Amino acid sequence: MTAGQNRIPVNLDYAASTPMRAEALLAQREYDDSELAGVNPNSLHSLGRKAAARLEVARREIAHSFGARVRPSEIILTNGGTEANQLALLGLAEGTRQRDRKRGRVIVSAIEHDSILDNLPLLRAAGFTVDLVQPCRAGYVEPATLVELLSDDVALVSIMVANNETGVVQPIRELAAAAHTAGALFHTDAIQGYLHIPLDVTELGVDAMSVAAHKIGGPVASGALYLKSRTPLRPRIFGGGQEAGRRAGTQDLRTQLAFAAAASSLTPHVAQERAKLQTLSDKLYATLTAHPRIHATMGDYAQADRLPGMVSIYVDGMDSEELIVKLDAAGFEVSAGSACSSGSMDPSHVLSAMGIGREQALGALRISFDDRVNPDDLDEFAQTLLSIVGAA
């Protein structure tokens, strides 16, 4: 295939967002055709009570996707992952400080998503000191590095489950245990890893975990925050008693039903799909990094704990924009990193924190997919990229 316009584009940017799954689309159609369409689940009349009951069924299904022992009351429904992250970061920090005034410090990793990092000025404006914990060259935060920053004045530690640019999975269980030893709460942004790898909040030992529906084939503008029972939280949105007073605003039953449907369809098969996608990503890494100018961002990809449907590379002597445009012309859609930061010609803050030089970081590509990928498309993509990079 020589001309991308002669073929249907192959979307290999699923880490940015994913097409809705059949189960989610069906849930929305059934809602639209039902008597509950447009009904406020907070109304006292019969239809309102029915809508509220249906919302709680969805909440129970979403809760189950966080772990078998999670209670529906521990799930706060939000308008997406960014809101869930902001609620956790600011709400937990302020809630903890209200309970213990000496806890005025927050620690986050230097490789967090912008929905965490861009809210740090608000923490500082509220009187908190913020420290960044750096990753190692392989892209993860070592527990010993976090321990060096911990003390009894830390209110909250927030470190993501898996990085949205490299796919590297963080040692959350050990990091959360370290935070708790110092008396701090621990939040994890699981938006990129949710239902792509097995995650049980009870086993991880976290106090809060954020997710977003559109990363798993659910609708955009739908997310959730797991909040362990009795964890202090100061709400960020006021104006109603919804979500047990923790998040004001009428819940969008339509999107939460679709979210629950997508989550329910994936939850039983996470481990199986992970194994299948790991094989595909291993093959893609091996094919690409055999070229002397193409490198895995985390170094030895075979030894890295990483998301199964993400391949993160950089190309010596070429920049991301050039690569993306040429791949797009050939019918393949990829990104340089986080879609939320697209348009910036600065090197990725994630890769910079990992110690990758500016020139190398400016040649980064993220290839991402889920269980719906056609393996033949990955093979064709690999050959296309290799032809663009050219002979060594």
Side-chain angles (χ1 to χ4, degrees), residues 165-166 285 295-298 310-314 351 365-366:
E165 294 187 28
T166 66
Y285 264 120
H295 313 275
T297 57
M298 74 291 300
M310 192 183 297
V311 170
S312 174
I313 59 172
Y314 65 88
L351 301 187
L365 287 181
R366 180 185 68 181

Side-chain angles (χ1 to χ4, degrees), residues 45-390:
H45 49 61
S46 297
L47 285 180
R49 293 195 299 272
K50 286 183 180 179
R54 191 65 192 86
L55 182 67
E56 293 314 302
V57 171
R59 191 190 308 275
R60 188 160 58 246
E61 293 170 348
I62 293 168
H64 183 69
S65 71
F66 283 78
R69 288 169 284 181
V70 176
R71 289 175 279 190
S73 61
E74 295 175 307
I75 299 299
I76 303 172
L77 301 176
T78 68
N79 190 35
T82 295
E83 185 197 334
N85 271 346
Q86 192 203 49
L87 174 58
L89 182 71
L90 301 173
L92 289 170
E94 293 186 356
T96 301
R97 187 173 60 180
Q98 285 177 344
R99 191 170 63 179
D100 184 350
R101 298 303 300 178
K102 76 172 181 293
R103 294 194 178 270
R105 196 152 65 92
V106 174
I107 300 173
V108 307
S109 85
I111 57 173
E112 294 300 302
H113 187 271
D114 287 345
S115 59
I116 291 290
L117 297 179
D118 286 355
N119 280 292
L120 298 184
L122 292 178
L123 275 177
R124 295 188 180 100
F128 288 93
T129 300
V130 180
D131 291 307
L132 295 181
V133 59
Q134 301 294 325
C136 66
R137 176 60 186 83
Y140 62 90
V141 175
E142 296 174 302
T145 306
L146 174 62
V147 169
E148 292 177 1
L149 291 175
L150 288 168
S151 60
D152 64 3
D153 64 345
V154 177
L156 174 68
V157 177
S158 181
I159 299 175
M160 63 194 348
V161 160
N163 185 261
N164 52 292
E165 294 187 28
T166 66
V168 174
V169 176
Q170 307 297 311
I172 295 299
R173 185 180 292 104
E174 293 81 4
L175 294 169
H180 290 154
T181 298
L185 294 179
F186 191 92
H187 161 254
T188 189
D189 166 2
I191 292 167
Q192 206 68 70
Y194 173 59
L195 294 179
H196 294 295
I197 56 174
L199 294 174
D200 184 310
V201 292
T202 306
E203 294 177 3
L204 291 175
V206 301
D207 301 293
M209 186 169 92
S210 310
V211 304
H214 74 111
K215 303 288 189 176
I216 63 164
V220 174
S222 181
L225 175 67
Y226 160 77
L227 183 71
K228 186 178 179 181
S229 292
R230 294 183 292 279
T231 298
L233 180 84
R234 185 176 185 273
R236 301 296 302 172
I237 300 176
F238 301 93
Q242 297 89 349
E243 298 301 300
R246 301 170 299 188
R247 193 274 185 192
T250 302
Q251 301 94 335
D252 185 350
L253 178 57
R254 185 177 190 266
T255 60
Q256 298 299 353
L257 289 173
F259 177 11
S264 295
S265 72
L266 290 173
T267 299
H269 310 296
V270 174
Q272 174 186 346
E273 293 300 332
R274 182 186 194 182
K276 182 179 79 172
L277 290 177
Q278 195 79 50
T279 299
L280 293 175
S281 61
D282 285 349
K283 179 183 178 183
L284 186 55
Y285 264 120
T287 302
L288 296 177
T289 58
H291 193 291
R293 289 172 57 197
I294 302 178
H295 313 275
T297 57
M298 74 291 300
D300 186 354
Y301 69 87
Q303 297 300 315
D305 186 4
R306 52 189 167 78
L307 295 179
M310 192 183 297
V311 170
S312 174
I313 59 172
Y314 65 88
V315 181
D316 289 334
M318 298 187 77
D319 64 60
S320 303
E321 184 177 14
E322 177 186 3
L323 291 166
I324 290 170
V325 169
K326 289 183 176 180
L327 287 166
D328 182 45
F332 296 98
E333 318 298 338
V334 300
S335 71
S338 172
C340 302
S341 302
S342 61
S344 171
M345 287 310 296
D346 294 328
S348 157
H349 73 276
V350 172
L351 301 187
S352 296
M354 290 168 59
I356 295 175
R358 175 183 173 85
E359 293 305 315
Q360 289 77 24
L362 287 174
L365 287 181
R366 180 185 68 181
I367 305 102
S368 52
F369 45 89
D370 68 11
D371 55 289
R372 294 169 284 184
V373 71
N374 182 343
D376 292 340
D377 287 338
L378 293 179
D379 293 339
E380 188 175 348
F381 165 79
Q383 296 310 312
T384 301
L385 178 57
L386 291 172
S387 69
I388 291 171
V389 175

